[in-house]
Amino acid sequence: VGAGGHVLGVDISEALIGRARALAPQDTPVQFQVADASSAELPEGAFDILFSRFGVMFFDDPTAAFAHMRHALKPGGRVAFVCWRGVAENDWVRLPMDAVKGIVPPMAPPGPEAPGPFSFGDRGRVARILTAAGFTDIGIAPFDASIPFGEGATRDAAIDEAVKMTFEVGPLSRVLADQPDDIRARASAAVRAAFAGRTGERSVMIDRATWIVTARNPTS
Ligand SMILES: C[S@@+](CC[C@H](N)C(=O)[O-])C[C@H]1O[C@@H](n2cnc3c(N)ncnc32)[C@H](O)[C@@H]1O
């Protein structure tokens, strides 16, 4: 943050804001707000940059949400965010989903525009949303990386962590939550085997595919 600058961190989750408060360096001029970013009270024309890491795919009406957030940007201000591409390219969901086929009932695929982690997978849709929200100079670039999913003191602990996360976050977690204990146990063993097939010494390395999206608030 430059001299005289300030940061406003917004998240709808009290727990996430609590975590952000705990992690923020003491000397950073940052305020936090627990609010829905699509309707939060934001100062008009106040910010140079709007940034999000994996937080913008959950709006019921993304165009209205981005138009609302754009009004908090100065003329010429920029937006930058990272979001997931498709499930098929993202091992943190693809691997466990493939592993539980035949163990849990098949999941109805979400509608292509239903809010959720993969709702910005279609780059054309992302461009349409930002254009309709009034942004210009839209850039949408793929960014691929192999990242540690589970991490732990040992390889076994890392795999346990990856399995735990599968049961806690992402589309599969909701399906697994509804299953009886015996099915959950079989699913857990299958997911464990899938992650065990990946490399990593004290982690489970997985392929992840994202878009890095940038755009600008027009100057007039
Ligand atoms: C995958 S998490 C990413 C969290 C964090 N940005 C990070 O990278 O670690 C998605 C975040 O988006 C937040 N979120 C979802 N819908 C939101 C909304 N309408 N307004 C504000 N935050 C929202 C969730 O509470 C959650 O913290």
Side-chain angles (χ1 to χ4, degrees), residues 1-2 4-9 20-21 23-32:
V1 184
H6 67 284
V7 178
L8 173 66
R21 272 191 222 280
L23 291 173
Q26 290 295 324
D27 54 354
T28 305
V30 57
Q31 288 175 292
F32 292 102

Side-chain angles (χ1 to χ4, degrees), residues 10-13 16 35-38 52-56 58-59:
V10 178
D11 196 289
I12 204 166
S13 150
L16 257 288
D36 182 335
S38 66
S52 171
R53 191 179 74 168
F54 299 118
V56 294
F58 308 97
F59 300 123

Side-chain angles (χ1 to χ4, degrees), residues 1 13 26 33-34 56 63 74 81 92-93 96-97 105 108 116 119 143-144 183-185 200 208:
V1 184
S13 150
Q26 290 295 324
Q33 197 176 322
V34 178
V56 294
T63 300
K74 293 177 184 172
F81 64 85
W92 64 279
V93 176
M97 272 180 149
S119 67
F143 179 70
D144 295 358
I183 299 287
R184 284 168 61 84
R208 131 203 122 152

Side-chain angles (χ1 to χ4, degrees), residues 118-132:
F118 298 100
S119 67
F120 275 32
D122 174 359
R123 107 197 266 165
R125 177 171 192 243
V126 175
R128 282 194 297 279
I129 289 167
L130 292 177
T131 304

Side-chain angles (χ1 to χ4, degrees), residues 135-156:
F135 285 97
T136 56
D137 299 334
I138 297 163
I140 304 176
F143 179 70
D144 295 358
S146 179
I147 53 156
F149 188 55
E151 287 182 285
T154 62
R155 166 113 175 124
D156 266 356

